Amino acid sequence: MARRRSDDKRSRILHAAVKVFARRGYFASRVADVARRAGVADGTIYLYFRNKEDILVSLFDEVMSEHLEGKRREVEPGAGAPARLRAIAERHLGLLGRNRELAVVFQVELRQSTKFMERFTASWLQDYFALIAEVIEQGQREGTLRPDLPVKVATKAFFGVLDEMVTSWILSRKQYDLVALAGPVVDLFLRGAAGPRQARESRPPLRAVAAGRKR
């Protein structure tokens, strides 16, 4: 029970930090602000975190760990590449689309520090890219994606579209379903923006793409 209460308090601090960092900005926020929001004494924060930076890093690590593990569970290896890409897109947009404050911390506050961005790129983003690249390579093997497509370029392009969808949603301040954009994003990625005539000349038959979606 003692450990459970300790875990609950740590979780409460992290949830409070999301709200404080999103509303005040990470650099303008103080540990005392997080403590007040969490309903704990200032000194209690230091029982769980070394400083404000450690709170942000821990928040980032825990969310990304759960996010990537969820992706691996939901993106079934036996499914076709189009279906797996859609599952990735839906989970990405759903995670941040359900919590605007968390999205602000990830899309805005985290990116104001080169140190945080370097950590993000060297750890979780690298793992995320590896998962996307795995699915793209699968699509090339099964014929639902062009075999001459550079995997690294395609991986960054796919992530980049999802990332921009979230950023645009934050900046617009409008309420709409981010997950609903997963389908159009994946469709654009698979089919491109070319007209029907040019598409027939430059990409695999749509029958192959459709077959991949049904798997």
Side-chain angles (χ1 to χ4, degrees):
M1 288 296 295
R3 169 171 285 197
R4 177 61 184 272
R5 284 195 294 270
S6 175
D7 290 346
D8 287 347
K9 189 169 291 186
R10 185 177 188 278
S11 178
R12 196 162 81 236
I13 292 169
L14 289 176
H15 279 87
V18 170
K19 295 183 179 300
V20 171
F21 294 163
R23 296 177 185 182
R24 297 177 62 92
Y26 170 77
F27 291 104
S29 300
R30 302 171 301 164
V31 169
D33 299 325
V34 176
R36 184 163 54 251
R37 180 78 194 194
V40 300
D42 292 6
T44 302
I45 300 286
Y46 297 102
L47 297 177
Y48 302 92
F49 307 98
R50 291 188 298 275
N51 48 40
K52 185 176 71 170
E53 178 182 321
D54 191 34
I55 296 175
L56 181 60
V57 169
S58 298
L59 171 67
F60 170 70
D61 281 348
E62 292 194 12
V63 170
M64 287 304 296
S65 177
E66 181 180 349
H67 181 47
L68 282 175
E69 182 58 34
K71 282 183 184 295
R72 293 189 180 99
R73 287 196 306 268
E74 293 178 11
V75 183
E76 294 294 338
R84 296 182 74 196
L85 287 173
R86 176 145 186 169
I88 290 173
E90 287 177 347
R91 186 167 182 86
H92 184 122
L93 298 177
L95 170 72
L96 298 176
R98 288 190 297 269
N99 190 334
R100 188 179 289 266
E101 290 170 329
L102 180 65
V104 169
V105 173
F106 270 49
Q107 301 295 120
V108 181
E109 296 305 320
L110 189 70
R111 303 182 188 208
Q112 295 187 46
S113 166
T114 301
K115 180 168 62 175
F116 290 147
M117 284 302 296
E118 287 175 346
R119 177 186 174 88
F120 178 49
T121 302
S123 56
W124 296 112
L125 187 60
Q126 192 174 64
D127 292 343
Y128 195 0
F129 279 3
L131 176 61
I132 296 172
E134 173 194 319
V135 178
I136 290 172
E137 289 171 343
Q138 175 191 340
Q140 291 177 323
R141 290 193 303 271
E142 68 189 19
T144 53
L145 286 171
R146 285 169 36 198
D148 63 329
L149 196 65
V151 174
K152 286 186 178 180
V153 172
T155 297
K156 291 180 180 180
F158 185 74
F159 172 83
V161 175
L162 297 176
D163 192 58
E164 178 57 28
M165 291 298 100
V166 179
T167 299
S168 296
W169 175 71
I170 292 171
L171 297 178
S172 72
R173 296 185 177 274
K174 295 179 181 178
Q175 294 294 336
Y176 56 87
D177 185 7
L178 262 182
V179 178
L181 299 178
V185 165
V186 174
D187 187 65
L188 176 62
F189 184 77
L190 292 172
R191 296 170 179 259
R197 180 176 178 181
Q198 184 177 348
R200 282 196 300 271
E201 298 171 354
S202 62
R203 60 175 166 78
L206 285 179
R207 288 191 299 275
V209 177
R213 286 178 175 168
K214 292 178 183 178
R215 293 176 187 174

